[in-house]
Amino acid sequence: QVQLVESGGGLVQAGGSLRLSCAASGRAISSYSMGWFRQAPGKEREFVATINWSGRRTNYADSVKGRFTISRENAKNTMYLQMNSLKPEDTSVYYCAAAYTLGLPTPLAEYDSWGQGTQVTVSS
């Protein structure tokens, strides 16, 4: 399995931006599709975005489409989530995950490895 560590979370005002990073170790992520998920207090973990192994294909949840951008740098074994126009409802713990597949998986169960999460808080 690949080990994942998220960073870049914090407190931001509504309308602001944050960039999350997911650093991988143990194995090269170039063989993995990668994803971002989030979980708000009292809610289930939900899909945010996914990117295929090459970075040429992406998929987003409707709630973040047009505001968030997922990207990756396989040479650095790192994935990113650029979050713009943040809203209070984006407040969650954000998790990165890796799936050993060529597709763009959205269900949690298709991901093999998970990070510990980073808190994002958007104030109104």
Side-chain angles (χ1 to χ4, degrees):
Q1 281 190 338
V2 61
Q3 288 77 48
L4 303 171
V5 178
E6 303 93 339
S7 62
L11 174 64
V12 63
Q13 288 188 331
S17 299
L18 281 175
R19 189 193 196 202
L20 305 183
S21 297
C22 173
S25 61
R27 298 186 71 173
I29 63 170
S30 54
S31 299
Y32 291 80
S33 291
M34 303 291 292
W36 286 98
F37 293 77
R38 65 186 182 186
Q39 187 168 17
K43 295 188 176 181
E44 293 187 350
R45 193 171 299 188
E46 64 176 9
F47 165 76
V48 174
T50 183
I51 188 167
N52 80 322
W53 69 273
S54 69
R56 294 192 183 98
R57 296 170 59 212
T58 58
N59 188 27
Y60 297 90
D62 288 342
S63 59
V64 306
K65 204 170 290 184
R67 300 188 297 123
F68 291 10
T69 302
I70 189 172
S71 62
R72 64 193 294 163
E73 288 188 80
N74 288 342
K76 294 184 178 181
N77 232 27
T78 303
M79 175 182 65
Y80 306 97
L81 185 68
Q82 177 67 44
M83 304 186 295
N84 299 329
S85 303
L86 282 161
K87 305 175 181 180
E89 51 264 42
D90 294 318
T91 295
S92 288
V93 177
Y94 283 72
Y95 299 89
C96 67
Y100 195 64
T101 178
L102 297 177
L104 292 171
T106 57
L108 277 70
E110 294 197 30
Y111 286 82
D112 311 297
S113 301
W114 292 84
Q116 293 301 306
T118 185
Q119 176 71 47
V120 171
T121 303
V122 184
S123 63
S124 57

